[in-house]
Amino acid sequence: MRALADRADIRADAIGVIGHSEGALHAMALGSRTDVCAVVLLAGFAGPGEEAFRKQGRSIVSSMPAPVRLLRRPLAGLGSHVLGRVKRTRTDVARAAGNKVNARWMREMLAHDTRDDLAVLDAPVLAVTGDKDLQVDPDDLKEIARLVPGGAETHRAAGLTHVLRRDSARPSLSRYRHLLRQPVDPGLLDLVTDWLARHLDAKVRRTSTGSRPAAR
């Protein structure tokens, strides 16, 4: 952020951050620690990482075919075993349930609580999560709005999935490959662009010379 602000082609008074999924956690952290002018959170959760992981697991299992849903209790037990095993590791990489995992990243994610950053954000905040998001609970939007001191503009986008594409089908991870062949939802892009224009005001509009101030 300091490097951006020092550039001649960047307006230091018009820098914002946008993050999606794990990127939203980084946007919260940047917003709480730097002088950004706007924070956009796309599919960001509010709470401890471990709780978010467990919610995600339950949501994904519930989206699967009936035979898999019947196994939700043993799958939940396996998930708890894996999380417990990872939490006890001290190495960067470990094996859990027969698979190699980035143990250091997962330990940090499980321990991280986004509420700490949300509670000290003083920049305007836009938070958007789709109502078909399997990986982030859209109900967390209420907690984001409650925690941010100045409040947050929140949108529970109808039909929007975690990969920021709308889908008329039943939410499923198996749909991601198809959805990712499509562009990011235009309505979402318009929402973010309009919100940034309002909150960064003239700082993100074209100057009279036709050049665009580089608000990033």
Side-chain angles (χ1 to χ4, degrees):
M1 297 299 300
R2 290 192 294 269
L4 281 175
D6 287 343
R7 287 178 59 96
D9 58 339
I10 297 289
R11 297 191 62 159
D13 59 348
I15 297 176
V17 290
I18 303 175
H20 167 240
S21 194
E22 183 186 347
L25 278 60
H26 293 284
M28 296 175 198
L30 282 168
S32 69
R33 294 165 173 77
T34 66
D35 295 326
V36 298
C37 300
V39 177
V40 179
L41 308 174
L42 305 177
F45 66 80
E50 183 169 352
E51 180 182 305
F53 263 97
R54 292 183 183 279
K55 283 183 179 180
Q56 182 180 111
R58 291 193 295 269
S59 175
I60 290 172
V61 169
S62 70
S63 74
M64 292 183 173
V68 179
R69 295 201 302 272
L70 292 174
L71 298 173
R72 59 182 175 271
R73 285 190 177 180
L75 287 172
L78 176 62
S80 294
H81 172 74
V82 170
L83 292 182
R85 183 178 178 85
V86 170
K87 286 162 65 176
R88 291 190 296 272
T89 62
R90 293 294 180 268
T91 57
D92 288 353
V93 180
R95 297 195 74 84
N99 297 308
K100 187 181 290 187
V101 297
N102 186 335
R104 179 181 178 183
W105 170 85
M106 188 168 283
R107 288 194 306 269
E108 292 177 354
M109 182 67 80
L110 292 171
H112 184 68
D113 192 333
T114 62
R115 294 175 297 185
D116 297 334
D117 290 330
L118 288 167
V120 293
L121 284 176
D122 61 3
V125 175
L126 170 67
V128 185
T129 303
D131 67 358
K132 288 191 174 183
D133 196 317
L134 288 175
Q135 295 176 245
V136 171
D137 188 349
D139 284 343
D140 279 15
L141 290 169
K142 300 174 186 175
E143 186 71 352
I144 291 173
R146 185 187 71 82
L147 286 167
V148 175
E153 181 177 327
T154 63
H155 293 263
R156 184 172 178 144
L160 195 69
T161 64
H162 187 72
V163 293
L164 307 182
R165 278 78 169 170
R166 293 184 193 267
D167 194 8
S168 59
R170 188 171 183 269
S172 169
L173 293 183
S174 65
R175 296 277 298 164
Y176 281 11
R177 179 176 293 183
H178 166 73
L179 293 172
L180 288 170
R181 296 192 186 106
Q182 305 171 20
V184 171
D185 180 66
L188 174 65
L189 297 179
D190 287 343
L191 170 65
V192 172
T193 301
D194 292 345
W195 185 86
L196 286 171
R198 280 190 285 115
H199 287 275
L200 297 181
D201 198 18
K203 299 166 186 174
V204 295
R205 293 201 299 265
R206 292 185 183 277
T207 64
S208 58
T209 60
S211 62
R212 181 183 296 277
R216 301 281 200 268

